[in-house]
């Protein structure tokens, strides 16, 4: 009989061990958000992980990375598309660069309020937009919410649209926002979220715009003096998964992810509501000057030429279908 070498034996036993543990192995997936864990998005991805673990009896574990530690939103979306990261929780900020149909949701003053936006996203229009991700390498699990965006800056109180003229503001890497904010006379500076705090602190930009949830989670009150509740645009969020990773799951596990994402979305939206209810008082207590009484119609009127262009570009019928959705 041929002598079996020690190395071969060792390799064989290592392999046997690996196979035995693989039989009951856990799959570990990675998810990320650009904001801190103590935030609406943190609540969302934490609930998603807990629900997936519960629904797969611990076979699938999601490890969450917070505060942009795996990169900004655009980078995370790219990683999910490539499959180097399985999941990402993100705003729609950079999404038009990947799934152009979704850009319609980023039009300023499109939704009357959060309830209107949630109804659209949870209805047939939102479902159809989720399907647009399929051909781009993503499974979009569910819509969620980043919140209603407001403007902050370190230079002056903004009471009327013309006060925005000449302010240098960081924007998301989103072509719809950039086009609209230029309509206000803002000097737009698109930038990934993880860079924003330092850019504000060092005066690279005068201001930024985000929902109360994000402003508080990022502690922007430390580097911004003035806030105006412009509510100029609704900011959707979404849970994205690599399409190939999703497709490989059993039917039951696919359903587990879809159900978990719905529950996560509800929890994230509830935290947005809580942050909206408490945010102004909190930020004032931290020294910010907040203008709550905004003549919204003046801001809407200022964007008339921009809206005309969007109607041409995206289709007035499509925009009206969202505006008039009941
Ligand atoms: O998703 O980039 C942004 O301003 C986003 O609102 C933020 O990263 C949360």
């Amino acid at each position: 009989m041929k002598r079996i070498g020690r190395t071969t034996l060792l390799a064989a036993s290592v392999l046997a061990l690996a196979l035995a543990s693989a039989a009951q192995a856990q799959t570990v997936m990675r998810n990320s958000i650009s904001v801190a864990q103590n935030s609406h998005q943190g609540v969302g991805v934490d609930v998603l992980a807990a629900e997936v673990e519960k629904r797969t009896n611990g076979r699938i574990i999601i490890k969450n990375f917070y505060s942009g530690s795996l990169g900004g939103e655009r980078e995370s979306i790219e990683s999910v598309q490539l499959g180097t990261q399985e999941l990402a929780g993100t705003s729609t900020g950079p999404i038009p660069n990947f799934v152009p149909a979704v850009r319609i949701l980023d039009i300023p003053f499109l939704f009357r309020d959060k309830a209107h936006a949630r109804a659209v996203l949870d209805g047939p229009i939102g479902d159809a937009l989720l399907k647009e991700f399929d051909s781009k390498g993503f499974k979009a699990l569910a819509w969620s919410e980043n919140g209603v965006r407001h403007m902050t800056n370190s230079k002056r109180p903004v009471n009327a649209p013309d006060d925005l003229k000449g302010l240098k503001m960081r924007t998301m890497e989103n072509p719809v926002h950039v086009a609209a904010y230029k309509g206000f006379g803002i000097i737009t500076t698109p930038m990934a979220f993880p860079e924003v705090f330092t850019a504000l602190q060092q005066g690279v930009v005068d201001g930024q715009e985000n929902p109360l949830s994000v402003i508080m989670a990022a502690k922007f009150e430390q580097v911004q003096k003035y806030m105006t509740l412009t509510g100029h645009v609704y900011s959707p969020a979404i849970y994205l998964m690599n399409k190939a990773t999703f497709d490989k799951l059993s039917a039951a596990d696919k359903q587990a992810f879809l159900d978990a994402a719905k529950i996560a979305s509800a929890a994230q939206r509830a935290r947005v509501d809580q942050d909206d209810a408490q945010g102004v008082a909190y930020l004032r207590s931290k020294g910010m000057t907040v203008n709550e009484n905004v003549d919204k119609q003046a801001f809407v009127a200022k964007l008339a030429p921009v809206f005309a262009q969007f109607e041409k570009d995206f289709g007035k019928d499509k925009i009206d279908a969202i505006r008039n959705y009941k």
Side-chain angles (χ1 to χ4, degrees):
M1 221 171 102
K2 228 172 139 196
R3 250 188 86 210
I4 301 172
R6 279 172 74 104
T7 336
T8 318
L9 264 178
L10 190 68
S13 54
V14 167
L15 183 70
L17 255 175
L19 285 175
S21 63
Q24 31 172 301
Q26 282 175 340
T27 303
V28 179
M29 298 187 184
R30 296 186 304 167
N31 195 359
S32 71
I33 54 171
S34 71
V35 287
Q37 182 175 17
N38 182 12
S39 69
H40 57 315
Q41 293 191 22
V43 167
V45 294
D46 284 352
V47 169
L48 181 71
E51 289 292 326
V52 165
E53 182 174 348
K54 186 174 96 190
R55 283 154 198 275
T56 61
N57 298 316
R59 280 180 295 104
I60 302 178
I61 303 291
I62 300 176
K63 184 162 166 36
N64 287 327
F65 294 81
Y66 312 93
S67 304
S69 60
L70 294 187
E73 293 189 329
R74 183 173 45 76
E75 290 166 290
S76 304
I77 296 166
E78 261 162 22
S79 300
V80 171
Q81 195 176 38
L82 290 169
T84 51
Q85 178 181 329
E86 291 81 5
L87 295 144
T90 179
S91 75
T92 48
I95 285 182
N97 306 311
F98 298 84
V99 186
V102 172
R103 66 193 178 153
I104 196 167
L105 297 175
D106 295 314
I107 296 176
F109 302 113
L110 177 68
F111 299 104
R112 291 182 297 277
D113 49 26
K114 283 182 288 185
H116 177 204
R118 292 170 184 178
V120 169
L121 294 172
D122 294 345
I125 296 173
D127 286 347
L129 287 173
L130 288 179
K131 294 207 177 68
E132 293 281 339
F133 288 80
D134 291 358
S135 62
K136 312 286 182 186
F138 305 101
K139 174 67 190 176
L141 297 172
W143 288 112
S144 186
E145 182 164 275
N146 199 27
V148 176
R149 301 177 83 89
H150 306 295
M151 308 240 182
T152 71
N153 81 91
S154 57
K155 287 272 183 250
R156 55 177 176 258
V158 169
N159 302 314
D162 282 347
D163 298 330
L164 290 168
K165 214 185 250 162
L167 279 181
K168 195 167 181 198
M169 303 245 311
R170 175 269 175 174
T171 73
M172 294 205 280
E173 299 165 280
N174 180 293
V176 180
H177 286 191
V178 170
Y181 303 166
K182 285 201 164 108
F184 285 129
I186 288 170
I187 302 165
T188 53
T189 308
M191 192 185 289
F193 188 76
E195 293 162 37
V196 180
F197 187 93
T198 309
L200 293 169
Q201 191 173 41
Q202 299 183 343
V204 174
V205 288
D206 303 320
Q208 64 86 45
E209 44 77 57
N210 250 303
L212 287 164
S213 298
V214 176
I215 293 168
M216 288 192 284
K219 303 193 188 330
F220 284 161
E221 73 276 3
Q222 295 178 359
V223 287
Q224 295 281 270
K225 175 76 183 143
Y226 303 103
M227 177 162 79
T228 303
L229 294 194
T230 42
H232 56 278
V233 70
Y234 177 82
S235 187
I238 195 163
Y239 307 119
L240 293 179
M241 188 163 181
N242 172 263
K243 180 78 162 60
T245 307
F246 182 82
D247 287 345
K248 270 183 236 144
L249 297 174
S250 69
D253 286 352
K254 281 181 181 143
Q255 198 55 49
F257 271 85
L258 294 170
D259 292 345
K262 284 230 164 66
I263 295 168
S265 173
Q268 184 165 325
R269 285 169 172 173
R271 172 64 183 259
V272 171
D273 286 340
Q274 191 186 320
D275 288 344
D276 279 347
Q278 300 169 353
V280 171
Y282 173 81
L283 293 170
R284 278 189 177 136
S285 79
K286 296 282 171 186
M288 280 190 102
T289 302
V290 183
N291 176 5
E292 288 186 87
N293 302 310
V294 183
D295 176 4
K296 235 183 181 166
Q297 275 320 307
F299 285 83
V300 175
K302 187 84 191 173
L303 292 189
V306 177
F307 292 139
Q309 190 59 46
F310 287 158
E311 286 177 359
K312 257 197 223 142
D313 293 348
F314 308 162
K316 185 174 184 322
D317 53 332
K318 288 208 179 102
I319 297 176
D320 282 345
I322 295 176
R323 279 188 185 135
N324 303 327
Y325 189 83
K326 292 251 155 57

